[in-house]
Amino acid sequence: MKKTRSKFVAQLRDVIINVGFLYLENTPVDKDIISKLKAQIPDLFALPQEQKDNIRMANSPHFLGYSKLGMELTKGAVDYREQFDFGTSCISSYKPGDPEYCNIYGPSQYPTDQQLPGFRTLHETYLTQLLTLATDFIHLVSEAVGLPPDALDQFYKSDNRMHLTKIVKYPVQSHSQQGVGAHYDGAMITFLLQASEEHHGLQAQNLRGEWIDVPPKSDTFVVNFGRSLEFVTQGVVRATSHRVLAPPLDSKTPRYSVPFFYSGMDLEVKVDESVLKMPPEILKLRDGRGILPSTEAINYPEYAHDVAGCHPDVAERHYPELFRELFPNGMPLHGVAY
Ligand SMILES: O=C(O)CCC(=O)C(=O)O
Ligand SMILES: [Fe+2]
């Protein structure tokens, strides 16, 4: 067991230093839960529009809920995807007078059990298992970059935190090739379930800047590294630039995916002030790569600005000052009246 672990950690170090993303297989996540979730996703999107609108993201100061097609921007261009954002189970600790960022964690909006029997319980079970996977995996990442296994736990201490997940549908459409544009995830790490086996479309940039197809492989997660991890490890771990191409016009089905973002850091953590002391031999490996080519992903603004900029309708309703700062000319066209 010890030998397997150290072999795995060595492989992980090689991936971090030389590649930039990976597939993870043989995880303890229950395969039966994954199959049931995959089977129910089309029913989630097939709910009557009115039921989806009842839980729309604009209701939620926590940026959780349903977004219809074309409501989200990456790099200023519209992403052609429909999605539900859910958090791990959480209550809001925000009180009037607290800084606005304290309102970012809170309860999710789910369809009722009459509307979609069993879905909420199934999805929450899935999230609990993903959280365990992510927590264990982040310890291995720490070891891989020469830190004690618990080095990153200092960012995840408080009881009331929320990790984010999405369930996404990329419909077949002819407007644009952009499913979601090139971007980094802001969190530490992302575990992506590609929920329709037949669909290619996910691509990631390796550390040489080449776009690599990342097709679905059964019983695996794609692991992307996030911008926060890049900051705190002094760039030893490079955030993974990735994008999704919309399903081609001759596809018979949409593409579905379920990213789980290990995003729930303590609210008072300031990532750019939380740089970790990295071992010299690891910094040497980082520097040995030379200057990495820049990626096509958008630059990383402060996290709250990031989500508010992606979801102007939520910002306008719940964060009016931030909205005026981000959109001085008012609501961008795609985000109107929803
Ligand atoms: O749908 C996918 O495969 C990737 C989604 C993604 O990158 C994101 O939502 O951040
Ligand atoms: Fe992403």
Side-chain angles (χ1 to χ4, degrees):
M1 179 69 189
K2 218 167 152 197
K3 212 163 139 211
T4 321
R5 185 181 177 101
S6 58
K7 204 168 145 199
F8 184 85
V9 166
Q11 268 185 337
L12 189 54
R13 175 174 311 150
D14 180 49
V15 165
I16 286 172
I17 298 294
N18 299 313
V19 184
F21 57 93
L22 63 131
Y23 287 97
L24 186 63
E25 61 182 352
N26 292 326
T27 72
V29 179
D30 189 335
K31 289 196 173 66
D32 191 41
I33 299 226
I34 294 181
S35 328
K36 286 189 179 135
L37 183 64
K38 281 182 177 174
Q40 215 173 21
I41 289 173
D43 302 339
L44 173 67
F45 287 98
L47 287 173
Q49 191 62 41
E50 190 196 329
Q51 292 179 9
K52 295 192 280 188
D53 287 349
N54 279 341
I55 55 170
R56 65 184 186 255
M57 190 189 273
N59 294 341
S60 161
H62 322 300
F63 296 89
L64 298 174
Y66 171 72
S67 302
K68 69 177 182 184
L69 204 59
M71 289 298 288
E72 208 190 18
L73 292 174
T74 299
K75 272 182 134 176
V78 174
D79 294 327
Y80 280 94
R81 57 182 194 170
E82 187 183 349
Q83 64 187 21
F84 294 83
D85 285 59
F86 300 103
T88 50
S89 171
C90 178
I91 48 164
S92 174
S93 57
Y94 176 79
K95 302 179 295 310
D98 285 347
E100 284 191 329
Y101 65 79
C102 293
N103 210 2
I104 202 89
Y105 295 161
S108 294
Q109 306 188 77
Y110 276 93
T112 65
D113 219 39
Q114 282 77 22
Q115 291 165 349
L116 200 56
F119 172 71
R120 181 173 189 153
T121 308
L122 176 68
H123 188 244
E124 286 180 339
T125 309
Y126 177 75
L127 292 189
T128 305
Q129 296 201 3
L130 261 284
L131 183 52
T132 305
L133 173 71
T135 311
D136 290 345
F137 193 80
I138 205 89
H139 291 156
L140 295 167
V141 170
S142 295
E143 276 187 60
V145 296
L147 298 169
D150 62 357
L152 295 159
D153 292 358
Q154 59 177 298
F155 304 121
Y156 301 94
K157 286 201 294 235
S158 86
D159 291 335
N160 197 33
R161 293 179 290 102
M162 184 193 90
H163 299 277
L164 183 68
T165 181
K166 291 175 189 286
I167 300 186
V168 193
K169 173 182 176 180
Y170 299 87
V172 179
Q173 50 81 33
S174 55
H175 304 285
S176 148
Q177 266 223 310
Q178 178 165 308
V180 59
H183 67 282
Y184 302 118
D185 295 341
M188 288 282 181
I189 197 162
T190 304
F191 295 82
L192 176 67
L193 173 68
Q194 302 201 70
S196 17
E197 300 270 309
E198 64 284 15
H199 276 297
H200 293 218
L202 177 67
Q203 297 183 322
Q205 271 182 295
N206 67 15
L207 295 177
R208 287 201 293 273
E210 299 153 340
W211 281 108
I212 307 289
D213 284 327
V214 191
K217 286 193 185 174
S218 16
D219 299 328
T220 68
F221 294 95
V222 175
V223 179
N224 292 332
F225 301 111
R227 198 64 164 162
S228 302
L229 191 59
E230 177 172 311
F231 268 120
V232 301
T233 61
Q234 301 188 37
V236 170
V237 185
R238 231 293 176 104
T240 315
S241 163
H242 57 287
R243 67 183 177 195
V244 176
L245 306 180
L249 276 179
D250 59 356
S251 309
K252 301 210 168 26
T253 50
R255 174 178 182 271
Y256 297 108
S257 70
V258 187
F260 176 91
F261 306 101
Y262 194 61
S263 54
M265 277 185 270
D266 294 340
L267 286 167
E268 51 288 344
V269 170
K270 293 199 168 114
V271 171
D272 51 358
E273 292 170 12
S274 305
V275 175
L276 300 169
K277 192 165 175 324
M278 304 301 293
E281 66 277 13
I282 293 288
L283 291 177
K284 227 164 141 185
L285 290 178
R286 176 198 68 183
D287 296 342
R289 294 190 295 219
I291 297 177
L292 295 175
S294 58
T295 69
E296 288 176 36
I298 45 164
N299 293 332
Y300 179 73
E302 199 197 324
Y303 183 66
H305 285 187
D306 200 16
V307 285
C310 289
H311 300 288
D313 54 334
V314 181
E316 187 189 36
R317 195 185 292 187
H318 300 287
Y319 302 94
E321 277 175 34
L322 186 55
F323 177 81
R324 279 192 292 276
E325 189 185 316
L326 289 173
F327 301 102
N329 301 322
M331 179 66 79
L333 263 183
H334 77 96
V336 170
Y338 188 67

Coordinates of all heavy atoms in Angstrom, one line a residue, residues 130-197:
L130 N -17.9 12.8 -3.8 CA -16.9 13.6 -4.6 C -16.1 14.5 -3.6 O -14.9 14.7 -3.8 CB -17.6 14.5 -5.6 CG -17.6 14.0 -7.0 CD1 -16.3 14.2 -7.7 CD2 -18.0 12.5 -7.1
L131 N -16.7 14.9 -2.5 CA -16.0 15.7 -1.5 C -15.0 14.9 -0.9 O -13.8 15.4 -0.6 CB -17.1 16.3 -0.6 CG -16.5 17.2 0.5 CD1 -15.6 18.3 -0.1 CD2 -17.6 17.9 1.3
T132 N -15.3 13.7 -0.5 CA -14.3 12.8 0.1 C -13.2 12.5 -0.9 O -12.0 12.6 -0.5 CB -15.0 11.4 0.5 OG1 -16.1 11.7 1.3 CG2 -14.0 10.5 1.2
L133 N -13.5 12.2 -2.1 CA -12.5 12.0 -3.1 C -11.5 13.2 -3.2 O -10.3 13.1 -3.2 CB -13.1 11.7 -4.5 CG -12.2 11.6 -5.7 CD1 -11.4 10.4 -5.6 CD2 -13.0 11.7 -7.0
A134 N -12.2 14.4 -3.3 CA -11.4 15.6 -3.5 C -10.5 15.9 -2.3 O -9.3 16.3 -2.5 CB -12.3 16.8 -3.8
T135 N -11.0 15.7 -1.1 CA -10.3 16.0 0.1 C -9.1 15.0 0.2 O -7.9 15.4 0.5 CB -11.2 15.8 1.3 OG1 -12.4 16.5 1.1 CG2 -10.5 16.3 2.6
D136 N -9.3 13.7 -0.2 CA -8.2 12.8 -0.2 C -7.1 13.1 -1.3 O -5.9 13.0 -1.1 CB -8.7 11.3 -0.4 CG -9.5 10.8 0.8 OD1 -9.4 11.5 1.9 OD2 -10.2 9.8 0.7
F137 N -7.7 13.5 -2.4 CA -6.8 13.7 -3.6 C -5.9 14.9 -3.4 O -4.7 14.9 -3.7 CB -7.6 13.8 -4.9 CG -6.7 13.7 -6.1 CD1 -6.3 12.5 -6.6 CD2 -6.3 14.9 -6.8 CE1 -5.6 12.4 -7.7 CE2 -5.5 14.8 -7.9 CZ -5.2 13.5 -8.4
I138 N -6.5 15.9 -2.7 CA -5.7 17.2 -2.5 C -4.5 16.9 -1.6 O -3.4 17.5 -1.7 CB -6.6 18.3 -2.0 CG1 -6.0 19.7 -2.4 CG2 -6.9 18.3 -0.6 CD1 -6.4 20.2 -3.7
H139 N -4.7 15.9 -0.7 CA -3.5 15.5 0.2 C -2.4 14.9 -0.7 O -1.2 15.1 -0.5 CB -4.0 14.5 1.2 CG -4.9 15.1 2.2 ND1 -5.8 14.4 3.0 CD2 -5.0 16.4 2.6 CE1 -6.5 15.2 3.8 NE2 -6.0 16.4 3.6
L140 N -2.8 14.1 -1.7 CA -1.8 13.5 -2.6 C -1.1 14.6 -3.4 O 0.1 14.5 -3.7 CB -2.5 12.4 -3.5 CG -3.1 11.2 -2.7 CD1 -4.0 10.4 -3.6 CD2 -1.9 10.4 -2.2
V141 N -1.9 15.6 -3.9 CA -1.3 16.7 -4.6 C -0.3 17.4 -3.8 O 0.8 17.7 -4.2 CB -2.4 17.7 -5.1 CG1 -1.8 18.9 -5.7 CG2 -3.3 17.0 -6.1
S142 N -0.6 17.6 -2.5 CA 0.4 18.3 -1.6 C 1.6 17.5 -1.5 O 2.7 18.0 -1.7 CB -0.2 18.4 -0.2 OG -1.3 19.2 -0.2
E143 N 1.5 16.2 -1.3 CA 2.7 15.3 -1.3 C 3.5 15.4 -2.6 O 4.7 15.4 -2.5 CB 2.3 13.9 -1.0 CG 2.1 13.6 0.5 CD 1.8 12.1 0.6 OE1 2.7 11.3 0.3 OE2 0.8 11.7 1.1
A144 N 2.7 15.4 -3.7 CA 3.4 15.4 -5.0 C 4.3 16.6 -5.2 O 5.3 16.6 -5.9 CB 2.4 15.2 -6.1
V145 N 3.9 17.7 -4.6 CA 4.7 18.9 -4.7 C 5.6 19.2 -3.5 O 6.0 20.3 -3.2 CB 3.8 20.2 -5.1 CG1 3.2 20.0 -6.4 CG2 2.8 20.5 -4.0
G146 N 5.8 18.1 -2.8 CA 6.8 18.1 -1.7 C 6.4 18.8 -0.4 O 7.2 19.1 0.4
L147 N 5.1 18.9 -0.2 CA 4.5 19.5 1.0 C 4.0 18.4 1.9 O 3.7 17.3 1.4 CB 3.4 20.5 0.7 CG 3.8 21.7 -0.2 CD1 2.5 22.4 -0.7 CD2 4.7 22.7 0.6
P148 N 3.8 18.7 3.2 CA 3.1 17.7 4.0 C 1.7 17.5 3.5 O 1.1 18.4 2.9 CB 3.0 18.4 5.4 CG 3.9 19.6 5.3 CD 4.2 19.9 3.9
P149 N 1.1 16.3 3.6 CA -0.2 16.0 3.0 C -1.3 17.0 3.4 O -2.1 17.3 2.6 CB -0.5 14.6 3.6 CG 0.7 14.0 4.1 CD 1.7 15.1 4.3
D150 N -1.2 17.6 4.6 CA -2.2 18.4 5.1 C -2.0 19.9 4.8 O -2.6 20.8 5.3 CB -2.5 18.2 6.6 CG -1.3 18.5 7.5 OD1 -0.2 18.9 6.9 OD2 -1.4 18.5 8.7
A151 N -1.0 20.2 4.0 CA -0.5 21.6 3.8 C -1.7 22.5 3.3 O -1.7 23.7 3.6 CB 0.6 21.7 2.8
L152 N -2.6 22.0 2.5 CA -3.7 22.8 2.0 C -4.9 22.8 2.9 O -5.8 23.6 2.6 CB -4.1 22.3 0.6 CG -2.9 22.4 -0.5 CD1 -3.2 21.5 -1.6 CD2 -2.8 23.9 -1.0
D153 N -4.9 22.0 3.9 CA -6.1 22.0 4.8 C -6.3 23.3 5.5 O -7.4 23.6 6.0 CB -5.9 20.9 5.9 CG -6.0 19.5 5.2 OD1 -6.2 19.4 4.0 OD2 -5.8 18.5 6.0
Q154 N -5.2 24.1 5.6 CA -5.4 25.4 6.3 C -6.4 26.3 5.6 O -6.9 27.2 6.3 CB -4.1 26.1 6.4 CG -3.5 26.4 5.0 CD -2.2 27.2 5.1 OE1 -2.1 28.3 5.5 NE2 -1.1 26.5 4.6
F155 N -6.7 26.1 4.4 CA -7.7 26.9 3.7 C -9.2 26.4 3.9 O -10.1 27.0 3.4 CB -7.4 26.9 2.2 CG -6.0 27.4 1.9 CD1 -5.1 26.6 1.2 CD2 -5.6 28.6 2.3 CE1 -3.8 27.0 0.9 CE2 -4.3 29.1 2.0 CZ -3.4 28.3 1.3
Y156 N -9.3 25.2 4.5 CA -10.6 24.6 4.6 C -10.9 24.2 6.0 O -11.1 23.0 6.3 CB -10.6 23.3 3.7 CG -10.3 23.6 2.3 CD1 -9.0 23.5 1.8 CD2 -11.3 23.9 1.4 CE1 -8.7 23.7 0.4 CE2 -11.0 24.1 0.0 CZ -9.7 24.0 -0.4 OH -9.4 24.3 -1.7
K157 N -11.0 25.2 6.9 CA -11.1 24.9 8.3 C -12.5 25.1 8.9 O -13.0 24.4 9.8 CB -10.1 25.7 9.1 CG -8.7 25.2 9.0 CD -7.8 25.6 10.1 CE -7.6 27.1 10.1 NZ -6.2 27.5 10.0
S158 N -13.2 26.1 8.3 CA -14.5 26.4 9.0 C -15.6 25.4 8.6 O -15.4 24.6 7.6 CB -15.0 27.8 8.6 OG -15.7 27.7 7.4
D159 N -16.6 25.3 9.4 CA -17.7 24.3 9.2 C -18.6 24.6 8.1 O -19.1 23.7 7.4 CB -18.5 24.1 10.5 CG -17.7 23.5 11.6 OD1 -16.7 22.8 11.3 OD2 -18.0 23.8 12.8
N160 N -18.8 25.9 7.9 CA -19.9 26.3 6.9 C -19.2 26.7 5.6 O -19.0 27.9 5.3 CB -20.8 27.4 7.5 CG -22.0 27.5 6.7 OD1 -22.6 26.5 6.2 ND2 -22.6 28.7 6.6
R161 N -18.9 25.8 4.8 CA -18.3 26.1 3.5 C -19.1 25.4 2.4 O -19.8 24.4 2.7 CB -16.8 25.6 3.4 CG -15.9 26.3 4.4 CD -14.5 25.8 4.4 NE -14.4 24.5 4.9 CZ -14.2 23.4 4.2 NH1 -14.2 23.4 2.9 NH2 -14.1 22.2 4.8
M162 N -18.9 25.8 1.2 CA -19.7 25.2 0.1 C -18.8 25.0 -1.1 O -18.1 25.9 -1.5 CB -20.8 26.2 -0.3 CG -21.7 25.7 -1.3 SD -22.8 27.0 -2.0 CE -21.7 27.6 -3.3
H163 N -18.8 23.8 -1.6 CA -18.1 23.5 -2.8 C -19.2 23.5 -3.9 O -20.3 23.1 -3.7 CB -17.4 22.1 -2.8 CG -16.4 22.0 -1.7 ND1 -15.1 22.4 -1.9 CD2 -16.5 21.5 -0.4 CE1 -14.4 22.2 -0.8 NE2 -15.2 21.7 0.1
L164 N -18.7 23.9 -5.1 CA -19.7 24.1 -6.2 C -19.6 23.0 -7.2 O -18.5 22.4 -7.4 CB -19.3 25.4 -6.9 CG -20.2 25.9 -8.0 CD1 -21.5 26.3 -7.5 CD2 -19.5 27.0 -8.8
T165 N -20.8 22.7 -7.7 CA -20.8 21.7 -8.8 C -21.8 22.2 -9.9 O -22.7 23.0 -9.5 CB -21.2 20.3 -8.3 OG1 -21.2 19.4 -9.4 CG2 -22.5 20.3 -7.6
K166 N -21.7 21.7 -11.1 CA -22.7 22.1 -12.1 C -23.1 20.8 -12.8 O -22.4 19.8 -12.9 CB -22.0 22.9 -13.2 CG -21.6 24.3 -12.9 CD -20.8 24.9 -14.1 CE -20.1 26.2 -13.8 NZ -21.0 27.3 -13.6
I167 N -24.3 20.9 -13.3 CA -24.7 19.8 -14.3 C -25.0 20.6 -15.6 O -25.8 21.6 -15.6 CB -26.0 19.1 -13.8 CG1 -25.6 18.4 -12.5 CG2 -26.4 18.0 -14.8 CD1 -26.7 17.5 -11.9
V168 N -24.3 20.2 -16.6 CA -24.3 21.0 -17.8 C -24.8 20.3 -19.0 O -24.5 19.1 -19.2 CB -22.9 21.5 -18.1 CG1 -22.9 22.6 -19.2 CG2 -22.2 22.0 -16.9
K169 N -25.6 21.0 -19.9 CA -26.0 20.4 -21.2 C -25.5 21.3 -22.3 O -25.8 22.5 -22.3 CB -27.5 20.3 -21.2 CG -28.1 19.9 -22.5 CD -29.7 20.0 -22.5 CE -30.3 19.6 -23.8 NZ -31.7 19.7 -23.8
Y170 N -24.8 20.7 -23.2 CA -24.4 21.4 -24.4 C -25.2 20.9 -25.6 O -25.0 19.8 -26.1 CB -22.9 21.1 -24.7 CG -21.9 21.5 -23.6 CD1 -21.7 20.7 -22.6 CD2 -21.3 22.8 -23.7 CE1 -20.8 21.1 -21.6 CE2 -20.4 23.2 -22.7 CZ -20.2 22.3 -21.6 OH -19.3 22.7 -20.6
P171 N -26.2 21.7 -26.0 CA -27.1 21.2 -27.1 C -26.4 21.3 -28.4 O -25.4 22.0 -28.6 CB -28.3 22.2 -27.0 CG -27.7 23.4 -26.4 CD -26.5 23.0 -25.5
V172 N -26.9 20.5 -29.3 CA -26.4 20.6 -30.7 C -27.0 21.9 -31.2 O -28.2 22.1 -31.1 CB -27.0 19.4 -31.5 CG1 -26.6 19.5 -33.0 CG2 -26.6 18.1 -30.9
Q173 N -26.2 22.7 -31.8 CA -26.7 24.0 -32.3 C -25.7 24.5 -33.3 O -24.6 24.1 -33.5 CB -26.9 25.0 -31.1 CG -25.7 25.2 -30.2 CD -24.6 26.1 -30.7 OE1 -24.9 27.0 -31.5 NE2 -23.4 25.8 -30.5
S174 N -26.2 25.5 -34.1 CA -25.5 26.0 -35.2 C -24.9 27.4 -35.1 O -24.2 27.9 -35.9 CB -26.3 25.9 -36.5 OG -27.5 26.7 -36.2
H175 N -25.2 28.0 -33.9 CA -24.8 29.4 -33.8 C -23.3 29.6 -33.6 O -22.7 30.5 -34.1 CB -25.4 30.1 -32.5 CG -26.9 30.0 -32.5 ND1 -27.7 30.8 -33.3 CD2 -27.7 29.2 -31.8 CE1 -28.9 30.4 -33.0 NE2 -29.0 29.5 -32.1
S176 N -22.7 28.7 -33.0 CA -21.3 28.9 -32.6 C -20.6 27.6 -32.2 O -21.3 26.6 -31.9 CB -21.3 29.8 -31.3 OG -20.2 29.5 -30.5
Q177 N -19.3 27.5 -32.3 CA -18.6 26.3 -31.9 C -18.4 26.3 -30.4 O -17.9 25.3 -29.8 CB -17.3 26.3 -32.6 CG -17.3 25.5 -33.9 CD -16.0 24.7 -34.0 OE1 -14.9 25.2 -33.8 NE2 -16.2 23.4 -34.3
Q178 N -18.6 27.5 -29.8 CA -18.2 27.6 -28.3 C -19.2 27.0 -27.4 O -20.3 27.5 -27.3 CB -18.0 29.1 -28.0 CG -17.7 29.3 -26.5 CD -17.1 30.7 -26.2 OE1 -16.2 31.2 -26.8 NE2 -17.7 31.3 -25.2
G179 N -18.9 25.8 -26.9 CA -19.7 25.2 -25.8 C -19.4 26.1 -24.5 O -20.2 26.7 -24.0
V180 N -18.1 26.0 -24.1 CA -17.6 27.0 -23.2 C -16.2 27.4 -23.6 O -15.4 26.5 -24.0 CB -17.7 26.5 -21.7 CG1 -16.9 25.2 -21.5 CG2 -17.2 27.6 -20.7
G181 N -16.0 28.7 -23.6 CA -14.7 29.2 -24.1 C -13.5 28.8 -23.2 O -13.7 28.4 -22.0
A182 N -12.3 29.0 -23.7 CA -11.1 28.7 -22.9 C -11.0 29.4 -21.6 O -11.2 30.7 -21.6 CB -9.9 29.0 -23.8
H183 N -10.8 28.7 -20.6 CA -10.8 29.4 -19.2 C -10.0 28.5 -18.3 O -9.7 27.3 -18.5 CB -12.3 29.5 -18.7 CG -12.9 28.2 -18.4 ND1 -13.5 27.4 -19.4 CD2 -13.1 27.5 -17.3 CE1 -14.0 26.3 -18.9 NE2 -13.8 26.4 -17.6
Y184 N -9.8 29.1 -17.1 CA -9.2 28.3 -16.0 C -10.4 28.2 -15.0 O -11.2 29.1 -14.9 CB -8.2 29.1 -15.2 CG -7.0 29.5 -16.0 CD1 -6.7 30.9 -16.2 CD2 -6.1 28.6 -16.5 CE1 -5.6 31.3 -16.9 CE2 -5.0 29.0 -17.2 CZ -4.7 30.4 -17.4 OH -3.6 30.8 -18.0
D185 N -10.4 27.1 -14.2 CA -11.3 27.1 -13.0 C -10.6 27.8 -11.9 O -9.4 27.8 -11.7 CB -11.6 25.6 -12.7 CG -12.4 24.9 -13.8 OD1 -12.9 25.6 -14.6 OD2 -12.4 23.7 -13.8
G186 N -11.4 28.5 -11.1 CA -10.8 29.3 -10.0 C -10.4 28.6 -8.8 O -9.5 29.0 -8.0
A187 N -11.0 27.4 -8.6 CA -10.8 26.7 -7.4 C -9.5 26.0 -7.3 O -8.6 26.3 -8.1 CB -11.9 25.6 -7.3
M188 N -9.3 25.1 -6.3 CA -8.0 24.4 -6.3 C -7.9 23.3 -7.3 O -6.9 23.2 -8.0 CB -7.9 23.7 -4.9 CG -7.6 24.6 -3.7 SD -5.9 25.2 -3.7 CE -6.0 26.2 -2.2
I189 N -9.0 22.6 -7.5 CA -9.0 21.4 -8.3 C -10.4 21.1 -8.8 O -11.3 21.3 -8.0 CB -8.2 20.3 -7.6 CG1 -7.8 19.2 -8.5 CG2 -9.1 19.7 -6.4 CD1 -6.7 18.3 -7.8
T190 N -10.5 20.5 -9.9 CA -11.9 20.1 -10.5 C -11.9 18.7 -10.9 O -10.9 18.2 -11.5 CB -12.2 21.0 -11.7 OG1 -12.1 22.4 -11.4 CG2 -13.6 20.7 -12.2
F191 N -13.0 18.0 -10.5 CA -13.2 16.6 -10.9 C -14.3 16.6 -11.9 O -15.5 16.9 -11.5 CB -13.5 15.7 -9.7 CG -12.3 15.7 -8.8 CD1 -12.1 16.7 -7.9 CD2 -11.4 14.6 -8.9 CE1 -11.0 16.7 -7.0 CE2 -10.3 14.6 -8.0 CZ -10.1 15.6 -7.1
L192 N -14.1 16.3 -13.1 CA -15.1 16.4 -14.2 C -15.6 15.0 -14.6 O -14.8 14.2 -15.1 CB -14.5 17.2 -15.4 CG -15.4 17.3 -16.6 CD1 -16.6 18.2 -16.3 CD2 -14.6 17.9 -17.7
L193 N -16.9 14.8 -14.5 CA -17.5 13.6 -15.0 C -18.1 14.0 -16.4 O -18.9 14.8 -16.5 CB -18.6 13.2 -14.0 CG -19.5 12.1 -14.4 CD1 -18.8 10.8 -14.5 CD2 -20.7 12.0 -13.5
Q194 N -17.5 13.3 -17.4 CA -18.1 13.5 -18.7 C -19.3 12.5 -18.8 O -19.0 11.3 -18.9 CB -17.0 13.2 -19.8 CG -15.9 14.2 -19.6 CD -15.1 14.3 -20.9 OE1 -15.5 14.9 -21.9 NE2 -13.8 13.8 -20.9
A195 N -20.5 13.0 -18.8 CA -21.6 12.1 -18.6 C -22.2 11.6 -19.9 O -23.2 10.8 -19.8 CB -22.7 12.9 -17.8
S196 N -21.7 12.0 -21.0 CA -22.2 11.3 -22.2 C -21.0 10.7 -23.0 O -20.3 11.5 -23.6 CB -23.1 12.2 -23.1 OG -22.9 13.5 -22.9
E197 N -20.9 9.4 -22.9 CA -19.7 8.7 -23.4 C -19.4 9.0 -24.8 O -18.3 9.0 -25.2 CB -19.9 7.2 -23.3 CG -20.2 6.7 -21.8 CD -18.9 6.4 -21.1 OE1 -18.1 5.6 -21.7 OE2 -18.7 6.9 -20.0

